[in-house]
Amino acid sequence: TYLWGNTLQSVTVASDNAYLSSQDGVIFNKDKTVLLWYPRGKPDTSYTVPLSVTRLFYRSFDEVDALTSVTLPNGLKDIDSYVFTSCRNIATLNLPSSLKSIDDFSIRDLKVSSMLVPENITELGYYFLAECPELTSVELPSTLTTMAVYVLSSNPKLKTVTCKAANPPAIPAGAHVFEDTPI
């Protein structure tokens, strides 16, 4: 679905479709537990993910320019790869405490100024919170054990990173964590 271009604003799925559903132009699986795709051309500046959603599918919000704010439901468990990549205008995105996993490249190139990573997250995947030009502060959970390649890199305004883990998270040699970030 991410290959459908940048101008499509809405999708309607027939109510008798056995596998898919839609709500407000956004595509879900039939029971609305997985948000599959948010149209890139949708003009809305804010979006609230329905309470039934427990997973954001691969590239579901990738490169959506109009959004400045996304509200995630408490109950969301998984954010797949590339979900919020290059959503350059998202300034408000709060990760819910129910979150269990955040895949590689999933939260990158946003306009957020701060981020609180919830407890239960043990690993930050490739490019987590990288290339966020307005990011100034991040709080990492006590459960964090690993930080992958280019985590928190290329963030020119990042000044404060608080890690609540008793033991610092493992960073692989040559991982470029904090690269081009003046911290």
Side-chain angles (χ1 to χ4, degrees), residues 45-91:
T45 58
S46 65
Y47 181 69
T48 298
V49 175
L51 292 174
S52 60
V53 173
T54 61
R55 178 179 171 205
L56 299 178
F57 190 70
Y58 174 78
R59 291 189 184 263
S60 51
F61 286 89
D62 181 32
E63 296 183 25
V64 174
D65 288 332
L67 286 174
T68 60
S69 173
V70 176
T71 302
L72 301 175
N74 200 14
L76 181 69
K77 292 183 178 13
D78 303 300
I79 297 177
D80 289 357
S81 297
Y82 294 94
V83 169
F84 292 109
T85 292
S86 298
C87 294
R88 292 177 180 92
N89 294 309
I90 291 181

Side-chain angles (χ1 to χ4, degrees), residues 12 24 31 35 38 45 79 87-88 101-102 116 120 129 131 136 143-145 157 163-164 168-169 171:
T12 302
D24 299 323
D31 64 359
L35 188 151
Y38 184 97
T45 58
I79 297 177
C87 294
R88 292 177 180 92
S101 70
I102 305 169
L116 169 66
N120 297 319
L129 280 178
E131 302 167 352
T136 60
T143 51
L144 188 64
T145 60
K157 294 183 180 179
C163 183
K164 299 187 325 187
I171 299 172

Side-chain angles (χ1 to χ4, degrees), residues 78-134:
D78 303 300
I79 297 177
D80 289 357
S81 297
Y82 294 94
V83 169
F84 292 109
T85 292
S86 298
C87 294
R88 292 177 180 92
N89 294 309
I90 291 181
T92 304
L93 179 70
N94 296 314
L95 303 178
S97 61
S98 57
L99 204 56
K100 303 291 183 208
S101 70
I102 305 169
D103 285 353
D104 295 339
F105 303 96
S106 60
I107 300 176
R108 173 183 176 207
D109 193 13
L110 306 180
K111 207 176 203 176
V112 295
S113 61
S114 65
M115 182 68 66
L116 169 66
V117 180
E119 293 295 321
N120 297 319
I121 297 297
T122 59
E123 181 176 341
L124 297 178
Y126 286 33
Y127 286 87
F128 176 79
L129 280 178
E131 302 167 352
C132 297
E134 300 303 318

Side-chain angles (χ1 to χ4, degrees), residues 2 4 13 16 20 38 40 62 113 136 166 168 182:
Y2 68 93
W4 289 3
V13 175
D16 63 348
L20 301 175
Y38 184 97
R40 287 183 180 167
D62 181 32
S113 61
T136 60

Side-chain angles (χ1 to χ4, degrees), residues 119-178:
E119 293 295 321
N120 297 319
I121 297 297
T122 59
E123 181 176 341
L124 297 178
Y126 286 33
Y127 286 87
F128 176 79
L129 280 178
E131 302 167 352
C132 297
E134 300 303 318
L135 187 66
T136 60
S137 67
V138 176
E139 184 173 305
L140 303 174
S142 66
T143 51
L144 188 64
T145 60
T146 307
M147 295 171 73
V149 176
Y150 291 104
V151 168
L152 297 169
S153 65
S154 300
N155 292 315
K157 294 183 180 179
L158 183 59
K159 300 291 183 214
T160 305
V161 177
T162 304
C163 183
K164 299 187 325 187
N167 295 312
I171 299 172
H176 307 282
V177 171
F178 297 114

